[in-house]
Amino acid sequence: MTPHLRPARLSDIGTITRFRLQRTSWLAARGSDQWTRAGRGLPIETFVRSVARAVSNGETWMAEIDDEPAGTITVNDRADEGLWSPGEIAEAVIVHYMIVDLRFAGHRIGHALLEHAATLAAQSNRDWVRLDAWTTNADLHTYYTRAGFRQARFAEATGPSGALFERPTASWLSTRRLLPAPLPITARPQLHAG
């Protein structure tokens, strides 16, 4: 089951918000405070505004299975202050808001989304795919490790998402298949310095 990836549209913001609320509830049922106000996560209103900006900037992608939304990812060249150094940001794309709909859990949607981030990194001549994960979510850390990332460190920033993971862009070239063909220039997210 290989997902089709496409740039997100403003009409997808409701679906992305539903993914976030669904996963927040799922995590809370397992004892995690990830993405909750109690855990110092972004309030849903702030999340929606942030995603709307990312969609408008061409930085957000949707994964679909048989025309059904299955997951989302935002990829750009920005990170929360105090997580990555300016030099680390300059040589990487940064993954944000990767969420898979629970109906498609276990179908490697997340891996396809991360591989897409690597494609965008390669197209932008960036050597790394980097991300931050919720500091206390050990299961999420294991997920990223199994996806080929290594934990770089825990950031000393005060936010709740300070587990920093990275994977070299070139490492995707040695996996089971080559990176997909480049997207048309109009479908590529614009990566800006700083």
Side-chain angles (χ1 to χ4, degrees):
M1 183 176 296
T2 303
H4 165 74
L5 271 69
R6 63 166 176 81
R9 301 181 286 262
L10 289 175
S11 59
D12 293 314
I13 292 173
T15 300
I16 295 169
T17 302
R18 179 181 60 79
F19 289 167
R20 159 80 188 270
L21 293 170
Q22 176 195 65
R23 277 295 176 161
T24 302
S25 296
W26 181 84
L27 287 161
R30 284 151 184 76
S32 174
D33 66 354
Q34 183 170 337
W35 289 340
T36 67
R37 287 182 192 250
R40 296 182 296 140
L42 282 180
I44 195 66
E45 301 83 7
T46 305
F47 171 83
V48 171
R49 282 192 302 275
S50 181
V51 168
R53 275 191 306 274
V55 170
S56 293
N57 291 336
E59 301 168 344
T60 301
W61 300 84
M62 297 296 291
E64 296 177 333
I65 299 289
D66 298 327
D67 295 324
E68 284 289 318
T72 186
I73 192 170
T74 294
V75 182
N76 58 39
D77 61 354
R78 295 182 302 282
D80 290 345
E81 189 174 337
L83 294 179
W84 299 99
S85 72
E88 289 171 321
I89 293 170
E91 63 187 15
V93 297
I94 310 295
V95 169
H96 308 273
Y97 310 135
M98 188 179 86
I99 311 170
V100 174
D101 187 314
L102 287 171
R103 296 175 303 152
F104 297 96
H107 292 281
R108 300 187 56 83
I109 305 300
H111 288 273
L113 290 166
L114 291 168
E115 188 173 84
H116 186 66
T119 299
L120 297 172
Q123 291 171 350
S124 301
N125 296 313
R126 304 287 177 116
D127 295 329
W128 294 91
V129 175
R130 292 189 165 123
L131 58 91
D132 59 275
W134 203 259
T135 303
T136 59
N137 189 336
D139 291 338
L140 186 57
H141 302 177
T142 298
Y143 173 84
Y144 286 123
T145 300
R146 287 183 180 157
F149 286 77
R150 75 168 188 91
Q151 185 170 357
R153 65 184 175 277
F154 282 100
E156 295 189 26
T158 58
S161 212
L164 303 182
F165 288 83
E166 61 187 8
R167 181 173 171 182
T169 303
S171 70
W172 267 276
L173 294 173
S174 62
T175 58
R176 61 178 169 42
R177 62 185 175 91
L178 294 176
L179 294 171
L183 295 164
I185 193 74
T186 57
R188 292 184 195 170
Q190 301 300 310
L191 296 177
H192 312 288

